[in-house]
Amino acid sequence: MSTMSWDGISASSISITPPTSGCHILKIDGYSQTKLLRGCTAATSCEFEVAGQTWCIKYYPNGSIPQAPDHISFLIKLARRLATNTIIRAKIRLSLLPSNGGAPYCRGYVTVLDGPVAVNAGGFSRFISREAFEKSEYLVDDCFVLRCDIEVEKASAVADPAFTARDLERLGLPCSCHDDLCRHFDLAEAASAPAPAPPQRRRRVMAACLWFFSCGAI
C-alpha cells in the first residue's frame, strides 16, 4: 500500500497484480480542494504495477481539455516505456465505487500501444459531469474511490520480413470465399504479396491484428 499527497490532499493506493490482469484502487481525500486546480491540470497518482507494466492515473478535476471544464477526467499512462518492437493491447475499465455497496459507475475501452513511443493509454475527458458527481453516492465526506481494472495481451513484432500466406493461415485470418464483404484476408492475395515490409509497417500490421481480434471481427 502506498500513500501520496498533493498540497494537503491525500491519496492511498493498493495494487493487486495477477500475471496478465489486475486492478488499482485510488482513494482521493479532499475532493473540494482538488477543484482549486486549474483547468487541464492533473493530479498524478503514484506508479503501480499491473499485468507486467507500470502505470499511473492522471486525475483532472476540471477537465483535461478546454471543451470540458465542467467534467471530471481520468487518463491512464504508462509510467515506463515499452521495449522496442513490443505491442500490447490493454482493456481498461474505470469504476467509481459507492460507499453503500450499490452499483459502481463504470466506463471502459480498449487501446493498442505500440513500442517505446506509446505512453498515453487513453481515458475519458468527459468521464462524469462534475454536477452529477457531486450529487452522487460516489462522493462521501469529500472523498471518493476509483478502481482501475487493466487486462493486457502482449505481442512482439515478428522477425520475419513480411507476413506470408502460411502466417495468416496459422492465425485463422484468411478465407477463400471471395465475398467482398468478408473481413478475412484472401489467401491468394497473401501469397502474391510482394516486397518485405519495413519494421515500422510490420509493427503497424501486428497492432492491426491485435485490434482485429479485440473487435471480434472473426
Side-chain angles (χ1 to χ4, degrees):
M1 179 171 180
S2 56
T3 304
M4 59 184 301
S5 65
W6 305 288
D7 296 328
I9 305 162
S10 65
S12 56
S13 302
I14 303 170
S15 291
I16 304 167
T17 348
T20 57
S21 64
C23 74
H24 183 76
I25 306 295
L26 178 66
K27 180 179 179 181
I28 301 294
D29 287 312
Y31 163 73
S32 59
Q33 294 299 309
T34 68
K35 293 196 296 181
L36 299 178
L37 292 173
R38 291 177 297 175
C40 305
T41 302
T44 303
S45 76
C46 61
E47 297 177 1
F48 57 93
E49 298 286 333
V50 164
Q53 304 297 330
T54 305
W55 313 78
C56 65
I57 301 171
K58 298 183 77 68
Y59 157 55
Y60 296 80
N62 295 302
S64 60
I65 57 175
Q67 296 83 358
D70 55 349
H71 280 72
I72 293 172
S73 308
F74 291 106
L75 303 181
I76 310 300
K77 290 192 68 174
L78 281 173
R80 302 283 187 275
R81 294 182 182 275
L82 296 174
T84 303
N85 295 333
T86 297
I87 300 168
I88 66 172
R89 169 188 174 267
K91 184 178 181 181
I92 298 174
R93 185 175 72 248
L94 300 176
S95 308
L96 288 172
L97 305 181
S99 61
N100 60 5
Y105 173 82
C106 303
R107 298 188 66 180
Y109 63 97
V110 175
T111 185
V112 173
L113 300 169
D114 179 5
V117 298
V119 292
N120 292 314
F124 297 97
S125 58
R126 294 180 173 89
F127 183 76
I128 188 172
S129 73
R130 197 163 49 248
E131 180 181 5
F133 173 69
E134 291 177 357
K135 294 178 179 178
S136 75
E137 59 188 335
Y138 308 110
L139 180 64
V140 178
D141 296 330
D142 210 29
C143 169
F144 72 90
V145 176
L146 180 81
R147 172 172 172 149
C148 176
D149 289 273
I150 301 176
E151 181 180 331
V152 166
E153 293 176 7
K154 185 176 178 181
S156 298
V158 291
D160 296 332
F163 280 103
T164 65
R166 183 177 176 81
D167 295 326
L168 295 172
E169 191 170 12
R170 284 201 303 268
L171 288 171
L173 292 176
C175 178
S176 57
C177 70
H178 305 295
D179 187 339
D180 290 340
L181 298 179
C182 182
R183 298 182 65 183
H184 291 61
F185 289 90
D186 187 282
L187 273 176
E189 292 177 2
S192 61
Q200 185 175 7
R201 183 168 175 235
R202 291 203 301 272
R203 288 196 300 272
R204 288 200 299 267
V205 171
M206 179 64 77
C209 285
L210 283 174
W211 186 259
F212 188 85
F213 285 121
S214 74
C215 293
I218 296 177

